[in-house]
Structures are given as C-alpha cells and as structure tokens.
Amino acid sequence: MIEKPSLTFSEALNKATNDIFMISGRSRRSEFWWTMGVVYLVNVFLTPFIGTILSLLAIPLKIRRLHDVGKSGWWWGVCAILQTIVVAFFLYDLIILIINDSSSQAQSVIWAFILKYLALWVFILIYKLILFVFYCMDSEPYANKYGDSPKYEMSV
C-alpha cells in the first residue's frame, strides 16, 4: 500500500470546489482542513454572512470526510438536527418566558430555563467534539462502503 502525499492548499481547495455538491465518496484530511480553514477565516475576518454560506456549502465535504473514516454522514446530520431543535425550543421557551412574566416565580423559572439549555448545549458540544475527533482521524486505508481510499493506493 502506497500513501499519497498530502494535498497542497490549492489542490485541496480545487478538489473541494469541484466536488462541492457531491455527498458520495470520501475526502482526505488535507482537503477537509484546508477548506474548513478558509471557511473559518472568511467567517471571522470578512463577514459572517459569507462565512455562513460557505459553511452550508461545506456540508457535503464534512459528510465525505466522515465517509473517509468509515462513518455515516448521519453523524453530522444528527448534530444539525439536534441544534435546530434546541434553537427552536429555546426561542419558543424564551417567548413563553417573556409573555408569562410572573414576578413571584420569575427567579426559579429563569434558573430552570438557564440550566435546561446549558445542559442541552453541553450535550451538543460533546457531540461536536466527537465529530472533531472523527474529522481528525486518518483515512481508512482500504476501500470501504463509501468508495476507494483517496489517500492510499494498493501497490501491485
């Protein structure tokens, strides 16, 4: 088995943009991290609006990166669904909290509100740390159910 060299910055961005809408297949760590680095830098230094658009366009890359380590793209999908549900419930509860402002129970209701969402966000953070570990893992050296390894070639 022969290991191919890491992708350069330009190779990684070129590969990521060529496969921008492709969910199937696998992506190497170098492709993933160079591209995500650009997305984060744009988000921090240019504008969060463009960074958000780039983050949405990077979803297939995240799924292909999970495929490269033998994980389903649903690992990312479950995190996105959980975050969406928590934000929706947070906004709903916040509106109810504002509408039903009863000063006699306000402090206990507010603390329950804070603790509930703190616990949910800690859970999501732990889940994201697990995803981060998956993104950092080395490619599976052999073909898996998502395709051939983009990093390793079988020697003849």
Side-chain angles (χ1 to χ4, degrees), residues 62-72 76 134-135:
K62 293 173 184 178
I63 292 171
R64 288 194 314 271
R65 180 69 202 122
L66 289 168
H67 288 173
D68 192 43
V69 297
K71 305 295 181 198
S72 168
W76 180 87
F134 289 159
Y135 294 147

Side-chain angles (χ1 to χ4, degrees), residues 1 5 14 16 22 40-41 47 53 65 67 80 101-102 104-105 115 147 155:
M1 184 174 329
N14 189 30
M22 188 168 66
Y40 292 132
L41 288 174
T47 171
I53 291 170
R65 180 69 202 122
H67 288 173
D101 183 30
S102 60
S104 63
Q105 297 178 9
L115 291 175
S155 57

